Amino acid sequence: MAENNKNIEFKYLIDSASDVPKFRQLVESVNNAISEKKLSIGDHLPSVNQVCKEYNLSRDTVFKAYSLLKEQGVIESVPNKGYFIAKEIRRVFLFLDTFKAYKEVLYDSFFKNLPKNVIADVHFHHYKPDVFKKQIEESIGKYAKYVVMPFDDASMEDALGLIPPEKLLLIDWNIFSSEDNNVLYQDFGRPLFEEFEKALHLMKKYNHFQFVYPEYTNHPYESVTYFIKFCKKHHIRYDVLKNSDLFDIKKGVAYISVSDRILGRFLEQTREKNLEPGEDVGFVSYNETPMKKFIYKGITVLSTNFAEMGMKAAEFVANDEPMRLCIPTTLRIRESL
């Protein structure tokens, strides 16, 4: 393994005021330097004694950091020569809104398709602007790539602007993006209209169509807009329910909802009122999950392919190529309609 002089330029970043343990900060410094190509395979790290002296750290702290890096396969030691970079690790910042069942599909697919030399740190913002901004600010400079799920808030644009465009991939919702941004998204509007037209014969079974858009949802309202366009074009009686407390199913009505809580209440009420899904009442649920094909006799879903979205996000991380891609949304018809 060849030595070189890059270690002369390499400096550990140690913040004495940070809550992060010093050994963790040493590990992060090495991983970040590799991600930013400041360290490469074969580069020589400072000795334990050198780090102790220069940064006023204990031998236990430095040895613990180097031992952890060895366990991860990032470095290896050679007798009488010290420690060397053995593997180029890239760190990725994965920033999701919440961890729901359909997001788990995306999450699993993303991690399964990552290259072996990539470590992804997962964070959640829960639609809170302050949390979003703080997490982004604290992540800058630490990651090779950023995979971020944004939401509709004015502060998004400034926070996202902190990330170099070539390192950023916006996923799920094409919002606050420019031509310079990489985007991997679903269309929340037109596919609803187009997929419902393919199933018009099923929609016509019912004398009324209700979109349940509960007050607690963060789902883009664009879906409601195209739902209304569809109903008006085909002269279907419709309404939009925004107060979930008023959800009360009736025979002859079909429902679409962006919330699985509403799906649960729908199934409860069908049992209480002795109504048969797919015959007396209909239901379309947004976002496929592994269980919806098995719930009752099967729940009809309008959904993008979250497994493909996760796979494509991993592809962006692995390659240094731009990405602008819309993952199709389809209607998967089952017994509930």
Side-chain angles (χ1 to χ4, degrees):
M1 186 181 296
E3 293 187 42
N4 54 46
N5 296 320
K6 282 190 179 181
N7 60 295
I8 296 174
E9 301 176 4
F10 173 63
K11 294 291 183 182
Y12 286 104
L13 299 177
I14 305 297
D15 181 2
S16 298
S18 174
D19 292 331
V20 179
K22 300 295 189 301
F23 82 93
R24 286 285 181 190
Q25 294 187 49
L26 291 172
V27 171
E28 286 187 6
S29 291
V30 173
N31 284 328
N32 291 341
I34 294 171
S35 292
E36 295 166 9
K37 300 188 184 301
K38 294 177 182 176
L39 288 174
S40 302
I41 294 175
D43 288 346
H44 184 223
L45 290 179
S47 69
V48 172
N49 288 337
Q50 185 180 342
V51 178
C52 290
K53 182 177 179 180
E54 186 172 347
Y55 298 94
N56 193 28
L57 298 172
S58 70
R59 283 184 59 83
D60 285 345
T61 296
V62 182
F63 189 74
K64 188 174 183 179
Y66 280 14
S67 295
L68 182 57
L69 286 166
K70 283 185 70 175
E71 287 177 16
Q72 295 174 347
V74 176
I75 67 172
E76 61 183 49
S77 59
V78 178
N80 302 319
K81 289 189 177 183
Y83 296 90
F84 297 84
I85 301 299
K87 185 166 65 175
E88 292 186 356
I89 298 293
R90 305 184 84 192
R91 294 187 67 202
V92 175
F93 184 78
L94 177 61
F95 206 12
L96 303 178
D97 45 22
T98 57
F99 198 68
K100 296 180 178 178
Y102 61 93
K103 300 289 172 58
E104 186 175 359
V105 175
L106 185 156
Y107 175 93
D108 286 346
S109 177
F110 177 73
F111 276 87
K112 284 177 181 176
N113 288 283
L114 283 178
K116 292 182 179 179
N117 69 325
V118 172
I119 297 174
D121 294 337
V122 186
H123 301 266
F124 299 92
H125 54 68
H126 300 288
Y127 302 101
K128 295 179 179 179
D130 291 345
V131 172
F132 187 96
K133 182 180 179 183
K134 182 179 179 182
Q135 293 268 32
I136 292 292
E137 288 175 344
E138 292 179 349
S139 74
I140 298 303
K142 295 182 178 179
Y143 297 93
K145 294 287 180 71
Y146 296 77
V147 179
V148 179
M149 192 173 286
F151 61 104
D152 192 5
D153 185 273
S155 65
M156 290 296 98
E157 199 161 9
D158 289 341
L160 291 170
L162 299 173
I163 304 172
E166 69 277 7
K167 293 186 176 183
L168 173 63
L169 175 67
L170 297 173
I171 62 170
D172 196 39
W173 193 355
N174 188 9
I175 188 171
F176 299 116
S177 69
S178 66
E179 292 183 358
D180 295 330
N181 287 129
N182 300 288
V183 286
L184 175 64
Y185 64 100
Q186 60 174 305
D187 187 339
F188 290 95
R190 185 169 296 280
L192 179 148
F193 186 97
E194 294 173 348
E195 291 297 300
F196 276 12
E197 287 209 314
K198 295 176 185 177
L200 184 60
H201 63 291
L202 294 174
M203 309 298 183
K204 290 286 190 178
K205 285 169 50 180
Y206 305 95
N207 55 41
H208 193 94
F209 207 176
Q210 182 178 87
F211 198 126
V212 186
Y213 188 83
E215 64 281 0
Y216 50 77
T217 188
N218 289 284
H219 186 95
Y221 197 76
E222 186 180 5
S223 298
V224 178
T225 301
Y226 275 86
F227 165 80
I228 293 172
K229 287 182 180 180
F230 168 79
C231 291
K232 285 184 174 180
K233 176 182 176 180
H234 296 287
H235 308 289
I236 296 172
R237 288 178 57 221
Y238 73 92
D239 72 306
V240 178
L241 180 66
K242 298 181 181 180
N243 185 345
S244 61
D245 290 338
L246 301 178
F247 181 65
D248 183 30
I249 69 170
K250 293 179 173 59
K251 187 174 182 178
V253 180
Y255 302 87
I256 176 173
S257 182
V258 298
S259 168
D260 285 350
R261 279 188 258 175
I262 297 297
L263 170 59
R265 290 175 59 186
F266 169 82
L267 292 171
E268 286 177 357
Q269 291 187 30
T270 57
R271 189 182 303 114
E272 292 167 359
K273 299 184 179 186
N274 198 28
L275 297 173
E276 183 69 17
E279 296 180 14
D280 302 317
V281 287
F283 199 92
V284 178
S285 178
Y286 243 98
N287 301 319
E288 178 73 294
T289 68
M291 292 304 298
K292 284 181 181 175
K293 67 178 73 173
F294 303 112
I295 294 174
Y296 191 65
K297 297 178 182 178
I299 303 299
T300 297
V301 293
L302 182 67
S303 182
T304 192
N305 188 329
F306 288 103
E308 184 179 358
M309 189 175 289
M311 180 184 69
K312 289 296 182 181
E315 185 179 304
F316 171 80
V317 167
N319 304 317
D320 292 319
E321 297 179 2
M323 178 176 287
R324 294 188 69 88
L325 180 64
C326 180
I327 304 295
T329 294
T330 56
L331 183 68
R332 302 167 196 183
I333 298 172
R334 298 181 183 128
E335 290 297 315
S336 70
L337 193 62

